[in-house]
Amino acid sequence: MFTSNFKNESFEFIPQVRHLDISTCKIQEIHKGALTILKNLTYLDVSNNTCIKCEGLENITSDLQFSNIKILKVNYLLKISDLTTVLKTSHIKGLHNTSLQNVFVDGNRLQTIEKNALTYLPKSLKFLSVRRNPFKFGYYLADVLHLSNLETADISDLYLHKTDFNPEKCIFDSICTCNEDSVNEPSYMDHSVISSLYVKDEIRKRDISDIFSLAEIPIPTNLKHINYSSGSLVMDIPKLMFSRNKVETIDLSNNILHSLVGPIVNVESLKILNMANNFCSNITNVFFSTDFKNLEHLNFHNNLLGIILPDDNDGKIFHNLESLIEIVLAQNRIPNLPENIFKSQRNLQKLDLSDNILTDINFRLSHMMQLKELDLRGNRIAIISDHIALQWESLARKHNFSVDLNKNLLECNCLSIKFIKWMTTTNVRLRNIKKYRCMLWNRTQVSLHNPKETYNLLKKHCTSYEHLEIALVSGILLFIIIVVGAVVYRYRWKLRYLYYIVKVKYSSLHSEMEEEYSYMYGAFVSYADEDRIFVHNTLLQKLEVENGIQLCLHKRNFLPGNDIATNITSAIHNSRKTLVVMSHNFLKSYWCMFEYNMARMESIYERRNENVVFLMFYEHMCSTDLPLNVLEMIQSKSYIEYPNDEYGDTVFWDQLVNALK
């Protein structure tokens, strides 16, 4: 049929036609009544006839009211250069009493719809496509509730237009322009309607994105699928509440939705949500409300969630998504994921983390008993840790579990030999393993399609260095032990003193300032047990009884129950002086030398080098009999020898009393 105009008699000889496709036929005009004779018509396509315009659409729909039409395609009835249009009631009024189920009105430069016009679409309508129309927000949105049986609405690609390099030459240039008066809005509106539907007035001139200023988003009762991809939305999604609905699929991909704030409510039936390609960098912990309990498929492909997900240590973002079967987080520049990020996704079957910048796998998978596919392609993973490999093995024993590690920075060296060995024995299905490549110890890349061969190569290489590594590590450890041992031996008495003095200080319940400290004893007497008769009979009588110097003797003053070292350190610390009764027996006694060294440490570190150690030689001793630490003190400090004559005895006791007082 090659006519450019359709008149009343055009179809008089084929009235039984059911399927009529007159798309792309350069039709100039369809007269009213031209299609009336086609009573059995169920399919009509008049798309890509850009000279028909709005007037022709009105003629078409008017004639179809007498037909059995089920599918109507009226795409691209205007040129791309035409002004934006208004869909009026008169354009579609004739469809009201038809059994129409599918309508395609793509690319018709529709900017708005006359109020109440949508109410004339038939109740039987199930599918509506209005793609590539630059819609603006308006009162007509409230009318979508009348489309009670609508199941699918495609409102995608709003500002995308089909290029027309050879536009048709039309006889009539009149088109239905977007005149504000043609919208036929009333001069008033019932205030109860405004309060229940709108948050603000005077919104008819705003963009389609202002739909989100509604207190409740109107959704047809039986609508199941919404496609709003490439809708040029540039915004943050605020708190939203949908009207009662049965929506199962929402596609908001290819917009610019920077931040998902929420919460979103009344989405109990939602199973599929596509948020791909939205430059989204933030999802609040409340965006996915408990109403998302039935969501099964979530797509965040190509966003910027690598900014927010690494900080979700408690898994709050996806906490309410317990029914998820598939989640796509590919191309989100994710550097790492916390251990509990997916703690609520026990039913997950597929997890796509491909093309991120992951260097390691830290998140837990062991609770995902249904997980079958893990996609880690195109990351920066060098090695899989043992505990993650064990989790994967556990999943593989339950069902067919696969992992894709293609295009990662896998390493084949002595550090990763255990991982390469795991690859040779694992039950996990390594997808695309023939494409795996890894970097050897010499920085050359080799194919990893045969892990067993690579493992044998590594085993041979690493064994040759094993003995050298053991010897090197042993040598380093031995050197450290020698150095530490030498330091400990060099400062052994200082360390022992510090240990016991700290123990003494902190075992006391009442501590005092050093300036106000009062000593319990005038002197602590350090002596050998063989010299006890001299100490107990003579020394005690002369110093304590006759001169009032309170002495601390280990036989008399040490506390029972305490260990000897603690008693010694406490006695020295609580005595003003330490009197050493030096003899051959003293030098032979371990505890006597311990007392001597502890007294020296007390003098150096606690008394600021004050001379608190006083040597009294009870026997005549040669310098060769004395140890170095005693000789050092004799050379730098004064000492006194016990005399054998009566006159010297008197002078000796006077000097000793003066020294101790």
Side-chain angles (χ1 to χ4, degrees), residues 313-315 318-319 321-324 327 337-349 351 361-372 374 387-388 390-396 398-399 401:
N313 295 317
D314 298 322
F318 302 130
H319 176 68
L321 308 182
E322 297 181 354
S323 298
L324 270 184
I327 181 169
L337 288 172
E339 180 181 2
N340 294 317
I341 183 75
F342 302 119
K343 69 176 183 180
S344 300
Q345 283 65 61
R346 296 183 176 275
N347 298 310
L348 201 64
Q349 296 182 14
L351 177 57
I361 305 300
N362 299 315
F363 54 89
R364 185 164 54 91
L365 296 173
S366 56
H367 63 295
M368 301 180 186
M369 298 304 178
Q370 307 299 322
L371 189 63
K372 297 180 180 179
L374 176 60
H387 75 280
I388 294 298
L390 287 174
Q391 292 186 43
W392 291 0
E393 283 294 337
S394 177
L395 292 172
K398 292 180 174 63
H399 49 73
F401 174 65

Side-chain angles (χ1 to χ4, degrees), residues 368-384:
M368 301 180 186
M369 298 304 178
Q370 307 299 322
L371 189 63
K372 297 180 180 179
E373 184 177 340
L374 176 60
D375 195 342
L376 296 171
R377 289 173 300 146
N379 281 280
R380 302 178 183 179
I381 300 171
I383 186 174
I384 300 299

